[in-house]
Amino acid sequence: MSYSNSIIFGPIPSRRFGISLGVDLSPSKKQCNFDCLYCELEGAKTTDKMDTYPSVNEIITAIKENFLIHPQIDVITLTANGEPTLYPKLNELIDEINKMKNQTKTLILSNGSTIYKEEIFNSLLKIDTVKLSLDCVSAKCFKKLDRVNSSVEIEKIVPSMIEFSKKTKNDFVLEILFVKDLNDKDEELDLLYEAALKINPKRIDIGTIDRPPAYDVKPVSYEFLESIAIRFENLNMNIIYKNRPKSIQSYSYEEIKKMLKRRPLTKEDIENMFDEKSKLLLEELIKEEIITIVNSSGIEFYKNLEK
């Protein structure tokens, strides 16, 4: 089977990563060890391995051909019609991409389910930005929401993410997708927060369903996501939500300091929350070096430097 026309998608402009060239490691069918209730792909029986996939040479050739047409690629994004780390030649592929990418960065979007496997762990260390999902911590939630394949050793995922975060010299982003009445309960939220603190990734992206899901499940509200961003103290929390509601208000000098001490805010947060007077106060705080701007894997956060 020839995959040459289906491996690549894009280039696509991304707010976080610039111009992204997508690489689908499973272009012919869905091959995943999860069957998440919220998946935008159709439901499918889970698997622990890919049985059909393009060769490393086919993928590299497709990337090179696209580089000739689109030389201004900022990031090569490894993904799949399913789970990209199930691609059996992942390590070899990453090595070959790293040989030819020049200034282009690499990114992988994974469900995080294989991070405890040594060969996957070591392969991911060679990628510039690794984005892993963690929707649940308890086995009960994993089985109900992510509907994992029996091969997945759930209890090893969080400890391995903690180890990976300590070991990687690159960017590690965690993603949590919340689904109404499934992983939005206090018990699971406490487990997620405890795990997130220990993992301590560069950034945590939180969101909810915004495309038609495979199964009949519902999104949480923006207000709920905002409450989570506040609840998960001392972590860089980025809310991903289409058509964010605006709530422009005026904040004092001290209120801004206190707010940014508890939770770093993104530029998008500031635009949605601060009036012009508050923005001027924020600029003063930056000049006084009380507040700084930190870039976290393509997203800028305003952060309080005070101890």
Side-chain angles (χ1 to χ4, degrees):
M1 182 187 294
S2 173
Y3 296 96
S4 56
N5 295 325
S6 55
I7 295 168
I8 301 292
F9 55 97
I12 299 166
S14 162
R15 276 189 307 169
R16 280 160 286 168
F17 303 109
I19 305 298
S20 167
L21 187 71
V23 179
D24 188 345
L25 303 184
S26 177
S28 63
K29 63 177 180 177
K30 182 177 176 180
Q31 298 180 92
C32 195
N33 52 2
F34 283 9
D35 184 26
C36 300
L37 293 175
Y38 60 77
C39 187
E40 61 194 61
L41 303 172
E42 286 186 6
K45 188 179 178 184
T46 61
T47 182
D48 61 348
K49 60 181 182 293
M50 289 186 184
D51 57 24
T52 176
Y53 49 87
S55 67
V56 170
N57 185 56
E58 281 179 291
I59 295 169
I60 295 297
T61 300
I63 294 172
K64 285 180 176 176
E65 286 172 354
N66 274 269
F67 266 43
L68 291 174
I69 305 166
H70 307 285
Q72 301 300 318
I73 301 296
D74 297 308
V75 62
I76 296 167
T77 303
L78 298 178
T79 181
N81 190 0
E83 170 50 34
T85 63
L86 297 184
Y87 182 71
K89 299 182 183 297
L90 186 66
N91 189 61
E92 181 188 344
L93 175 63
I94 293 165
D95 285 345
E96 291 303 313
I97 290 174
N98 285 341
K99 284 178 194 172
M100 51 80 69
K101 68 173 186 162
N102 297 320
Q103 299 304 309
T104 304
K105 300 291 186 183
T106 49
L107 162 70
I108 191 165
L109 306 176
S110 164
N111 64 21
S113 61
T114 58
I115 188 68
Y116 58 84
K117 296 185 177 182
E118 187 179 1
E119 68 275 19
I120 302 294
F121 187 102
N122 291 332
S123 297
L124 296 184
L125 288 172
K126 302 183 219 176
I127 297 177
D128 294 311
T129 302
V130 173
K131 188 171 183 179
L132 304 180
S133 294
L134 185 68
D135 301 325
C136 300
V137 173
S138 72
K140 180 183 174 184
C141 180
F142 256 118
K143 288 170 183 173
K144 193 171 182 181
L145 176 56
D146 292 327
R147 290 151 53 98
V148 298
N149 183 272
S150 59
S151 66
V152 178
E153 297 177 63
I154 295 165
E155 71 284 354
K156 292 183 178 180
I157 293 173
V158 170
S160 295
M161 284 184 176
I162 295 168
E163 185 187 350
F164 184 82
S165 186
K166 289 175 182 173
K167 196 161 185 180
T168 185
K169 294 178 173 62
N170 298 319
D171 286 354
F172 175 26
V173 179
L174 204 62
E175 180 170 37
I176 307 171
L177 192 140
F178 288 100
V179 179
K180 189 172 175 59
D181 299 329
L182 283 160
N183 60 342
D184 58 348
K185 302 287 190 296
D186 275 341
E187 183 183 346
E188 198 63 36
L189 294 175
D190 287 343
L191 290 173
L192 279 167
Y193 179 49
E194 184 185 330
L197 279 175
K198 290 176 182 173
I199 295 167
N200 192 28
K202 279 276 185 76
R203 187 180 86 230
I204 301 178
D205 290 345
I206 58 172
T208 191
I209 300 163
D210 65 5
R211 297 177 189 177
Y215 300 95
D216 185 21
V217 288
K218 305 297 180 191
V220 297
S221 66
Y222 175 78
E223 289 72 25
F224 174 82
L225 295 177
E226 200 168 34
S227 74
I228 295 302
I230 294 167
R231 181 173 179 156
F232 281 32
E233 288 187 73
N234 302 315
L235 294 162
N236 285 340
M237 303 295 292
N238 176 44
I239 300 173
I240 299 173
Y241 195 87
K242 284 187 176 179
N243 306 316
R244 280 184 180 212
K246 287 197 173 192
S247 178
I248 306 296
Q249 296 182 48
S250 186
Y251 299 95
S252 70
Y253 187 88
E254 289 300 322
E255 282 175 331
I256 294 170
K257 284 203 302 180
K258 189 176 178 182
M259 187 188 304
L260 294 177
K261 185 74 179 169
R262 187 170 185 190
R263 176 198 162 203
L265 295 176
T266 66
K267 284 194 170 183
E268 190 174 5
D269 290 328
I270 299 299
E271 286 302 317
N272 284 319
M273 294 168 61
F274 283 35
D275 65 7
E276 291 307 313
K277 185 181 174 185
S278 303
K279 287 177 185 175
L280 290 173
L281 289 175
L282 179 61
E283 288 303 318
E284 279 184 36
L285 285 160
I286 292 169
K287 285 175 187 171
E288 292 168 17
E289 298 184 349
I290 295 169
I291 303 299
T292 190
I293 299 175
V294 178
N295 189 299
S296 178
S297 307
I299 290 184
E300 291 184 332
F301 285 86
Y302 291 90
K303 203 166 190 177
N304 190 329
L305 292 172
E306 293 175 314
K307 297 296 182 190

